[in-house]
Amino acid sequence: MTTIVIATRNAHKVGEIRAILGGASQFLMLNDFPDPPKVVEDAGTFDGNATKKAVELARWLAVTFPPTRHSSPLFVLADDSGLEVDALDGAPGVHSARFAAPDSAKSGNTSDADNNARLLQLLKDVPLEKRRARFHCVIALVAIDSQSAIRNPQLFDGACEGWIGFAPRGKNGFGYDPLFVPVGFEQSFAELDEDVKNKLSHRAKALEKLKAYFTTK
Ligand code: IMP
């Protein structure tokens, strides 16, 4: 059986990954390990942050829980995602979780409500046709072999295109969901059922590519 360690403490994310990858894998998350490394997400790109998270956790696991010749294949998976707004040259991007902070490159996370308020403020004079945006997700996968060597990260990405609304709508989801209206829909992500969002989302698209990779491996 393949073991996949996911670099997150978010059980919801693990559930989404398990639902799509399913099958015969065992899934573990950061909460399953004592004192895993805290990775600073300062790479400046989704690719860089996802890779950094996966590689640093894999290095720690390879030393702390070294696989043996008889262990099942061990993979580490990390994702990084955020919102890119064309009228803001791709912001908030990698700073999505801390967009409301005065210096979002250096700050800790800020609340979803504050981040949404900042986005609306910056777009207050921008008409509908210029409010194009997308959620973007990159998943990095690294393998730890039976000699504890870490094999090169593979990257899988997904995007979901949409528009930024003029006011928050809906109660589902998290983050920028109340402001994001996916192409082809009139409701925001926070108004759509979770099942619908989970089929359209940036994470779902990246995970489908990862699933195809595992299937053909
Ligand atoms: P993470 O990399 O998945 O932790 O996402 C970073 C930030 O991007 C989150 O804190 C949210 O602000 C935003 N974000 C990522 N995915 C979503 C989503 O599916 N809906 C709304 N906001 C999201």
Side-chain angles (χ1 to χ4, degrees):
M1 181 193 267
T2 298
T3 298
I4 303 177
V5 182
I6 306 170
T8 186
R9 293 188 180 276
N10 180 337
H12 181 88
K13 212 178 245 184
V14 177
E16 200 179 329
I17 293 170
R18 182 184 281 121
I20 292 182
L21 296 185
S25 301
Q26 178 193 23
F27 295 93
L28 298 174
M29 61 193 288
L30 293 179
N31 308 16
D32 294 313
F33 298 91
D35 212 17
K38 290 185 185 63
V39 180
V40 181
E41 298 181 33
D42 58 359
T45 61
F46 295 118
D47 287 12
N49 282 331
T51 303
K52 189 174 179 201
K53 284 193 267 187
V55 168
E56 288 195 18
L57 179 58
R59 282 194 186 127
W60 179 82
L61 284 168
V63 172
T64 319
F65 298 96
T68 67
R69 219 155 38 89
H70 307 291
S71 305
S72 59
L74 179 61
F75 292 91
V76 178
L77 182 160
D79 76 324
D80 195 39
S81 59
L83 180 70
E84 296 170 335
V85 180
D86 288 350
L88 303 177
D89 293 328
V94 290
H95 301 139
S96 291
R98 45 189 192 272
F99 191 43
D103 182 356
S104 52
K106 292 191 184 131
S107 137
N109 289 357
T110 44
S111 76
D112 289 343
D114 288 350
N115 293 337
N116 282 323
R118 167 123 202 257
L119 182 58
L120 282 180
Q121 169 65 21
L122 290 171
L123 295 179
K124 69 180 178 353
D125 299 322
V126 177
L128 178 62
E129 68 277 9
K130 295 202 173 134
R131 298 173 79 96
R132 188 72 187 222
R134 72 206 50 77
F135 279 119
H136 190 155
C137 171
V138 174
I139 292 175
L141 181 78
V142 290
I144 305 175
D145 71 18
S146 57
Q147 313 297 314
S148 289
I150 292 160
R151 287 198 257 123
N152 281 344
Q154 307 267 349
L155 297 178
F156 306 87
D157 71 334
C160 178
E161 294 287 335
W163 306 92
I164 301 301
F166 290 90
R169 286 193 275 129
K171 301 235 168 297
N172 301 335
F174 70 103
Y176 298 91
D177 282 349
L179 291 180
F180 185 82
V181 179
V183 165
F185 291 80
E186 299 204 337
Q187 301 100 314
S188 74
F189 257 176
E191 292 176 306
L192 289 167
D193 281 347
E194 199 179 333
D195 289 356
V196 178
K197 179 188 166 186
N198 286 348
K199 286 203 178 77
L200 299 173
S201 86
H202 47 312
R203 237 179 323 277
K205 289 182 183 152
L207 282 168
E208 290 296 348
K209 290 184 189 167
L210 176 63
K211 183 179 181 179
Y213 170 81
F214 272 123
T215 312
T216 54
K217 235 168 68 67

